[in-house]
Each structure stands twice: as C-alpha cells, then as structure tokens.
Amino acid sequence: MDSKTETLLVIILLEVIVGFLFSFFIIIFLSVIGFQKKNMMTYVKILIPLNVSNISFTFFLASNFIIGFLWPELLTKTYLIHTLSYMTMYSITSSLWLSAVLCVFYFMKIVPSQPRVLTTLKRRIDAVVLWLIIMAEVVSLGEGFLSMLISNISTNQRNSSITMSEFIDKINAQSVNVFLIVLLLNFLPFLVIIMTTIGSAGLLSLYNHQIQKNMTTTSGNTRVRDYGAAIQTMIGLLVFYVLLLLCMSLSMLNVFSYLDIGYWLCVIFLFSNTTILPALLIYGNPGLKEAIKQMITR
C-alpha cells in the first residue's frame, strides 16, 4: 500500500469518526430537547430517525468498503452479501424517504391555511408526520428485502468452480441491477422533495411580497427568514442526494478504475454524508441552531 492510498484511507477514517460523533451528538441533543418539553416536537420526531438512518448507511457503507478493500474473499459468503446488501439498501432508502417527509413538513408549515383540507392537515400535522415516518420505514424495509432477493437469485446462480475474479465480475453485475432498482423505487421521494421545494419557494415569494406590501413588522420578517432557511435546507437536501446517488452510480457502474483518483473522490464524498446531512438539518432549524449555539457558548 503506497503513501497516497494510506493518506486517502486516513481521510476517510477521519470523515467517519467526525461524522459519527457529530450525528450521535445531534441525536442525543434532540432526544434531550424532546424529553425536556415532555411532548416531543414534530420536527424532532423526523430528525432523530433521519440521523439514525444516516449513521446506519455510513456504517454499512464502511463495512462494504473495508471488506472489498481488505478481505474480498469474504464476498463469497452468501449470508454476508445478503446482510450488507439489505442493510445498505434499507438505510439509504430510509434516509431518502425521511428527508422527503421532512420536506413535506416544511411545506405544510409554509403553506397558507386557506383551503379547508390543508387547514385540517396542518391541525393534525403531528399525526400526519408520524404516519408518514411509519410508511417511509415500511417502504424502506420492503426495498431492502427486494435487494436481498435479487442478491439471492444472483448468488444461487454461482458455480463453485469459477475463479475469484469471475465471481467479483458477477458481484459487480449484480450491483448494477440493485442500483437500477434503487433509482426506480426512490424516484417518488425525489419527486416529493422537488415538488415541495418548488411549492415552498413560490409560497415564500408570495408571502414575502404580502409582508412588504402590508409593511408588516419584525415578526413577519422573522418568519420569512425561518421559512427561507427551511427552503434552503430543502434545496440542500435535493442537491446532496443527487450527488450521493451520482457517486454511488459511478462506483457501482465501475466508471472509474479501481483506486483511481475519480474512485477515491467518490468514496470520500460518500463517507462525508455523515457530517453533511446533520449540518443541513441544523441549518434548516433556527430554533435548534440557536439552542446548540447557546449550549456551546455557556
């Protein structure tokens, strides 16, 4: 192993450590806030499982990377392939769907309470979000099972007499099939994030125009800033997942040669998600950001 590879591995290791610490801190902090207020706030109910899914994805991504890099012979273990495939698929799908739920929550907070159906939904937003979280987890479990089923079909077709290089080629071909299914089944949460982001931006522009027209004072301007931060977070989540799936596609489709600079850049970005996602979530919640700031400055 040359010095360049060792340096890149150290960078990845530091990303994982810092990201885990950051995410665990956010989960603990949100849990404390929720229990202190006795009735846990709606956005906290979304952010805690979202951070847990993010940590889970990084952990199983790291497991895949370590095994493939140091012990590729372990890939012949069928149960290991199934477990890693299932948990990786479940965690990334869960993270994406929960992000879509967060965008729906932001949209419902911004949308005016004019149509009667929206008024009812906004009044019951806590129950709506809870059911959306449950649905997101059920869909994620189903997609993870589907990826495991595809892995089982592929590995059952394996002949015990093939060489390790031939087996690795089969694994790569299988990963392409799994990735295509990920894109297909995760199209809906992407669409939800896109539509809610566009809708929220349009409503904020209209709301800001009304404030300026009516010369509304500080409370209205503060609300605009809070809504603006939420929309910027929605845009950030959309860009983040586009880049994340792009890097996953480049890796799984073997666009870059193994250990090439392009390969390492994709891997480094994939492992940076543990830090990037919590940072986006904090930025989009001014109250949470202020609470963390006060705790640090004490």
Side-chain angles (χ1 to χ4, degrees):
M1 186 183 300
D2 56 22
S3 58
K4 174 187 169 183
T5 302
E6 291 178 351
T7 302
L8 292 170
L9 287 175
V10 169
I11 292 174
I12 293 172
L13 179 62
L14 290 175
E15 280 186 320
V16 173
I17 293 174
V18 172
F20 274 3
L21 291 175
F22 194 17
S23 295
F24 277 122
F25 169 77
I26 297 300
I27 292 172
I28 294 172
F29 186 80
L30 289 172
S31 300
V32 170
I33 290 178
F35 287 120
Q36 282 180 345
K37 293 184 178 293
K38 295 183 180 179
N39 185 18
M40 189 176 290
M41 293 171 286
T42 304
Y43 75 88
V44 173
K45 294 178 181 179
I46 305 173
L47 297 186
I48 290 178
L50 180 52
N51 274 279
V52 171
S53 295
N54 189 42
I55 291 174
S56 175
F57 173 67
T58 304
F59 174 80
F60 290 104
L61 182 68
S63 300
N64 275 294
F65 178 76
I66 291 172
I67 291 174
F69 189 78
L70 297 178
W71 306 292
E73 65 276 5
L74 291 180
L75 294 175
T76 58
K77 306 294 184 181
T78 303
Y79 70 90
L80 184 61
I81 296 175
H82 288 174
T83 302
L84 290 178
S85 175
Y86 178 84
M87 293 308 300
T88 303
M89 202 64 57
Y90 164 73
S91 55
I92 184 59
T93 306
S94 174
S95 179
L96 187 54
W97 276 93
L98 288 172
S99 295
V101 172
L102 181 64
C103 289
V104 170
F105 171 73
Y106 284 148
F107 175 76
M108 293 302 299
K109 298 294 287 185
I110 296 173
V111 70
S113 302
Q114 291 295 323
R116 187 169 300 176
V117 62
L118 291 179
T119 303
T120 303
L121 288 175
K122 291 188 74 169
R123 192 182 304 122
R124 300 178 180 176
I125 187 64
D126 192 65
V128 171
V129 165
L130 180 60
W131 278 107
L132 287 176
I133 292 173
I134 294 173
M135 184 186 73
E137 293 306 302
V138 170
V139 172
S140 301
L141 287 169
E143 183 172 330
F145 175 77
L146 182 59
S147 68
M148 184 177 69
L149 182 63
I150 294 174
S151 297
N152 189 39
I153 293 173
S154 298
T155 51
N156 283 340
Q157 294 173 345
R158 174 171 55 90
N159 190 320
S160 59
S161 63
I162 66 174
T163 64
M164 175 60 70
S165 61
E166 291 173 332
F167 180 70
I168 295 298
D169 290 339
K170 283 182 173 290
I171 293 295
N172 290 334
Q174 170 190 313
S175 67
V176 173
N177 294 331
V178 173
F179 178 72
L180 292 176
I181 290 177
V182 173
L183 291 181
L184 180 63
L185 296 182
N186 286 330
F187 174 75
L188 182 57
F190 261 120
L191 184 61
V192 170
I193 295 175
I194 292 171
M195 297 303 294
T196 53
T197 301
I198 294 174
S200 299
L203 290 171
L204 180 62
S205 177
L206 179 62
Y207 186 64
N208 190 32
H209 177 71
Q210 290 177 345
I211 288 178
Q212 293 178 354
K213 182 178 178 180
N214 299 328
M215 302 296 290
T216 308
T217 56
T218 311
S219 68
N221 293 327
T222 300
R223 187 173 298 178
V224 168
R225 285 197 299 270
D226 291 347
Y227 289 166
I231 292 172
Q232 289 175 15
T233 300
M234 294 164 75
I235 295 173
L237 287 172
L238 182 60
V239 173
F240 168 73
Y241 283 114
V242 167
L243 293 176
L244 185 67
L245 288 180
L246 176 61
C247 287
M248 288 181 65
S249 65
L250 293 175
S251 298
M252 298 178 75
L253 298 176
N254 297 314
V255 174
F256 299 112
S257 300
Y258 185 58
L259 302 183
D260 192 13
I261 185 63
Y263 167 86
W264 283 113
L265 289 176
C266 287
V267 171
I268 288 173
F269 179 81
L270 287 173
F271 282 109
S272 68
N273 75 87
T274 322
T275 305
I276 294 175
L277 185 58
L280 287 172
L281 300 178
I282 292 173
Y283 180 79
N285 290 272
L288 178 60
K289 183 165 54 177
E290 184 63 26
I292 294 176
K293 183 180 178 181
Q294 290 178 2
M295 185 185 71
I296 294 176
T297 55
R298 279 180 182 175

